[in-house]
Each structure stands twice: as C-alpha cells, then as structure tokens.
Amino acid sequence: MNKVRKFSLLVLVLFVMAGGFLAGCGDKYKNMSVTSDAQQGLTLYVGDEEANTGKITFTVNGAGDKISTDLVFSFKSHEEDRIVEIVDPPEKDGNKTTVTLRALDTSNGGETTLVALTKEGNKSTSVKISCVIKANSMKTNTNYKPLIV
C-alpha cells in the first residue's frame, strides 16, 4: 500500500510540474507587432534632388522590457534590380526606427518593397516604394500627319 501511495504522489507531482511548466511557457511575442507611418507606400522621384529622398518610421508595439526592438531591413528585389537605397544608418529612438531612403539616379523607375523584420520575435511589416521619373519637357510634332486607311 505504501508503494501505491508513493507512486500516486509521484504521478500527481509530475502532473502539477508539467502543468506549471506548460502554463508558464506562453508566447512572449504574441502581443508584439511592427507598424509603419507609410502604410499607403512611399513615392520617390528619380533625378529630382528635393523629392528623391524620403523617410519611413517603423514602430515596434507590444514588446516587453526584455525584448529587443531592433529591426533588420531588406528589399524584395534582386541586388542588380535595386531602385532605392538606405542612405544613412537607421535612427533609433526607443521603440521607433526611422529609415532614410533615396531613389537611385541610375534607376529607370519601378516599384520595390522594403521589409522590416524584428531581430527577436520574427514580426515584420512591409512598405511598397515607387520610383517615378518626372517628365521635364514635352514636344509636339506639328508636321505629323496620321495615316488614315
């Protein structure tokens, strides 16, 4: 009888320990998210000194005191197809990180996507970036005669 009592007590203690372990191991990143102030995207103008740069601020929300809010940035395009670049190192202020982007002068325009990923927790957000070439001038051909068939 003594052996049954010890075995029952051991099983009970194991169940209590397993339940405590499983209850204490919740996902510490479940409330964490990344947002940006450019949810509608960002448009940069190739060759225009004033409008070829732009800033995007990313915010890491819901991170606890011991969770890193550092971000890693990448583009969803191949290196040889790059149309924008990150100009300066990102500026970090608490849970906010600001990135300065510039349209490359060698770009023919187009679109790319900037992805911000947390170093801890694997949370991400993306921003669509469009590069546009402004028309500087337009000419008309007054001698043009359309062919009518």
Side-chain angles (χ1 to χ4, degrees):
M1 195 55 116
N2 215 5
K3 288 183 181 183
V4 173
R5 181 184 269 173
K6 285 183 181 181
F7 181 74
S8 300
L9 184 61
L10 179 65
V11 169
L12 179 67
V13 168
L14 286 176
F15 275 126
V16 169
M17 286 176 54
F21 178 74
L22 293 175
C25 292
D27 184 10
K28 64 180 179 179
Y29 306 112
K30 69 180 177 182
N31 295 328
M32 192 167 141
S33 65
V34 181
T35 58
S36 79
D37 63 350
Q39 292 298 326
Q40 301 300 319
L42 177 67
T43 301
L44 303 174
Y45 294 92
V46 178
D48 186 339
E49 289 298 319
E50 293 179 10
N52 72 340
T53 59
K55 292 187 178 210
I56 302 174
T57 300
F58 294 93
T59 305
V60 178
N61 301 307
D65 294 337
K66 296 180 181 179
I67 298 175
S68 171
T69 58
D70 292 341
L71 297 172
V72 177
F73 299 98
S74 63
F75 292 99
K76 284 188 180 177
S77 61
H78 299 289
E79 188 68 33
E80 62 271 5
D81 298 331
R82 184 70 46 87
I83 59 174
V84 296
E85 66 180 350
I86 296 176
V87 180
D88 300 318
E91 302 168 18
K92 189 155 172 26
D93 182 22
N95 66 338
K96 295 179 185 279
T97 304
T98 302
V99 178
T100 303
L101 301 164
R102 179 176 61 214
L104 296 175
D105 290 335
T106 58
S107 168
N108 291 326
E111 292 182 348
T112 189
T113 303
L114 175 66
V115 178
L117 176 70
T118 58
K119 285 186 177 179
E120 189 177 343
N122 201 29
K123 303 296 182 176
S124 67
T125 189
S126 58
V127 176
K128 186 172 106 176
I129 301 169
S130 302
C131 289
V132 178
I133 300 174
K134 286 185 176 181
N136 294 329
S137 64
M138 186 179 278
K139 296 180 183 178
T140 59
N141 184 354
T142 57
N143 298 325
Y144 177 73
K145 305 245 192 271
L147 177 65
I148 301 175
V149 180

